[in-house]
Amino acid sequence: MTATRRDPDIFETLESEVRSYCRGWPAVFDRAQGSRMYDEDGHTYLDFFAGAGSLNYGHNNPLLKRALIDYIERDGVTHGLDMSTTAKRTFLESFRNTVLRPRGLPYKVMFPGPTGTNAVEAALKLARKVKGRESVVSFTNAFHGMSLGSLAVTGNAFKRAGAGIPLVHGTPMPFDGYLDGRSPDFLWFERLLDDSGSGLDRPAAVIVETVQGEGGVNVARGEWLRGLEDLCRRHDMLLIVDDVQMGCGRTGGFFSFEEAGIVPDVVTVSKSISGYGLPFALTLFRPELDIWEPGEHNGTFRGNNPAFVTGAAALDAYWADGQAMEKQTLALGDRVEEALRTIRSEHFEDTEDPRGRGLIWGLEFHARDRATRTARRAFELGLLIETSGPESEVVKILPPLTITPEELDEGLGILARAVRETA
């Protein structure tokens, strides 16, 4: 048998120019386990990216892998559309018992399709159907996905331009801290709502991230989120929290809004809900909002049963015992904050105060290319880390929640060295 010859140029010659992460990390990755990835040339990389937040429990987590292998080996249903399956039932039971009931959350569960933007599109469509209005308010520097409805409530000009058509029925408002505290929260927003001459169509909903990951790791205060919830209640608007990246324990609690003490009308979840990096998304909403007609919002890959299997296994392994995972994440987050504050003190003229919650943190540089150069140097030193913000000016720390303290310190040490060497 003739061995298959590797084509070193196939990514350049055959794959579209739209690829992006591979440009910053010029390696061909072959395997991964826990918090590390390995390329085909034998190099090892510590992962502070975690599949953009889709691998909160690490690569090839052995508990989840065992559940998946067992399911496949017994010929469990792989593709099930929205049919009832044993895998779906097990996931729903685990989600109800480990997530919804302990938090007193009343939500119905919808499987809108496999990605975060599918969940957002379903949330927007449902809000408009319930309220009979078209307009949705979003926030500066928001990111909600790359399909047209999600782009209409996304702030980034580069991503919006890719739509190729006008993006309508979305209105941006200032996110918490956008005006540097120079005006009271929601002053402009509420004035527009109260003024019949403002030109703002009455919104069906407001969509918000509690921490804007792609927007630069901008953290909303609990006070601000509670004020937003109150504003929505008083003006008959649904509150949608996009928890695609910040959910599943990323900020500490299973949902990122728990700390603020709010209960959104609609929540979008994806990324790490499968636990294993398999495509999977949920749209959650109050029962009284469930006015869908059967088949009104459809999609072929709503029934990704292997993702149900690993998702249920992740819930049972990491969330059934109360607050252990939350406490661990917050403790590791304190280590990250301490390390970033040390970097900040050494580069005070070049950086802003670090910002984040749990295991999502960002360090902003004044020189707009410095974050990219830092991430590139970190890669050369064996650390995968990405940038975020409207000008990619923020280094974004997003390790698996299961990372060990020793691995975390190792990566933070590499980051500190990369910052020094790009000064």
Side-chain angles (χ1 to χ4, degrees):
M1 181 182 295
T2 303
T4 302
R5 185 178 66 86
R6 293 193 311 187
D7 182 349
D9 300 320
I10 195 165
F11 304 110
E12 293 283 342
T13 59
L14 192 60
E15 193 178 359
S16 166
E17 292 297 322
V18 78
R19 64 195 187 281
S20 89
Y21 289 115
C22 57
R23 300 180 190 276
W25 301 328
V28 180
F29 295 99
D30 179 55
R31 61 189 182 89
Q33 210 290 313
S35 299
R36 298 187 188 274
M37 299 188 72
Y38 306 87
D39 70 20
E40 63 181 4
D41 296 321
H43 299 112
T44 302
Y45 302 88
L46 194 55
D47 187 1
F48 271 25
F49 176 62
S54 63
L55 293 164
N56 280 4
Y57 313 107
H59 295 271
N60 287 300
N61 183 296
L63 296 173
L64 314 188
K65 179 166 62 176
R66 185 71 262 160
L68 180 59
I69 290 172
D70 289 347
Y71 183 76
I72 292 172
E73 285 186 337
R74 73 167 184 82
D75 292 331
V77 174
T78 296
H79 181 267
L81 291 162
D82 69 352
M83 293 183 286
S84 298
T85 65
T86 56
K88 181 193 282 189
R89 180 173 58 202
T90 299
F91 172 80
L92 286 170
E93 289 172 346
S94 293
F95 191 71
R96 178 191 62 194
N97 296 336
T98 63
V99 176
L100 297 182
R101 278 184 175 169
R103 292 162 180 79
L105 296 172
Y107 298 133
K108 296 290 290 291
V109 178
M110 175 182 178
F111 301 105
T115 71
T117 200
N118 291 132
V120 170
E121 294 285 357
L124 299 176
K125 183 190 288 189
L126 180 61
R128 288 167 171 140
K129 179 179 175 66
V130 168
K131 293 300 182 183
R133 309 176 205 138
E134 297 175 348
S135 176
V136 173
V137 166
S138 58
F139 291 94
T140 51
N141 289 312
F143 177 77
H144 296 290
M146 298 296 280
S147 50
L148 292 180
S150 300
L151 279 176
V153 290
T154 287
N156 187 282
F158 173 73
K159 292 179 172 64
R160 289 174 63 88
I165 62 171
L167 296 171
V168 296
H169 308 309
T171 303
M173 291 292 167
F175 190 72
D176 190 15
Y178 187 76
L179 298 176
D180 298 324
R182 291 191 297 253
S183 66
D185 295 341
F186 312 115
L187 177 66
W188 174 242
F189 191 179
E190 188 143 31
R191 180 65 185 271
L192 293 179
L193 289 170
D194 289 336
D195 184 1
S196 60
S198 70
L200 176 67
D201 294 330
R202 180 68 54 181
V206 175
I207 185 168
V208 67
E209 304 154 276
T210 65
V211 180
Q212 295 181 326
E214 297 303 307
V217 194
N218 306 310
V219 182
R221 295 167 295 134
E223 176 187 1
W224 188 85
L225 291 168
R226 289 188 292 273
L228 179 61
E229 182 184 51
D230 177 67
L231 183 70
C232 288
R233 300 287 175 263
R234 288 188 287 107
H235 289 274
D236 188 33
M237 303 177 294
L238 296 183
L239 176 60
I240 304 169
V241 167
D242 182 341
D243 237 7
V244 167
Q245 188 169 84
M246 297 306 149
C248 301
R250 175 54 57 181
T251 65
F254 186 87
F255 294 111
S256 71
F257 56 81
E258 291 179 44
E259 183 180 292
I262 65 173
V263 180
D265 299 294
V266 184
V267 183
T268 62
V269 182
S270 186
K271 298 251 187 219
S272 278
I273 190 62
S274 81
Y276 205 72
L278 300 175
F280 189 15
L282 307 175
T283 304
L284 313 174
F285 39 81
R286 296 180 184 273
E288 62 269 23
L289 304 180
D290 193 11
I291 62 172
W292 292 114
E293 296 290 335
E296 188 176 6
H297 188 86
N298 224 325
T300 302
F301 292 102
R302 290 168 298 151
N304 186 354
N305 281 258
F308 293 151
V309 170
T310 56
L315 294 174
D316 294 342
Y318 294 103
W319 296 98
D321 60 353
Q323 296 182 319
M325 174 59 77
E326 179 176 354
K327 292 176 180 177
Q328 174 181 301
T329 298
L330 294 175
L332 292 173
D334 288 342
R335 295 173 86 105
V336 176
E337 182 178 11
E338 181 180 358
L340 292 182
R341 291 201 178 280
T342 299
I343 295 173
R344 160 78 163 142
S345 68
E346 295 172 354
H347 303 270
F348 189 78
E349 300 298 325
D350 305 322
T351 59
E352 295 289 338
D353 284 336
R355 48 187 187 254
R357 281 175 53 200
L359 277 176
I360 168 68
W361 284 86
L363 182 66
E364 181 179 345
F365 292 91
H366 296 157
R368 285 339 208 191
D369 68 335
R370 179 82 175 277
T372 298
R373 290 190 287 114
T374 297
R376 186 179 302 123
R377 181 57 182 147
F379 170 77
E380 294 168 352
L381 297 170
L383 177 69
L384 302 179
I385 196 166
E386 72 165 334
T387 62
S388 69
E391 299 177 75
S392 297
E393 73 277 16
V394 177
V395 167
K396 181 180 176 185
I397 293 91
L398 196 76
L401 306 185
T402 52
I403 194 168
T404 67
E406 294 75 20
E407 289 172 328
L408 186 64
D409 291 345
E410 177 188 346
L412 292 169
I414 295 173
L415 174 60
R417 178 181 169 186
V419 173
R420 286 194 301 271
E421 294 182 0
T422 57

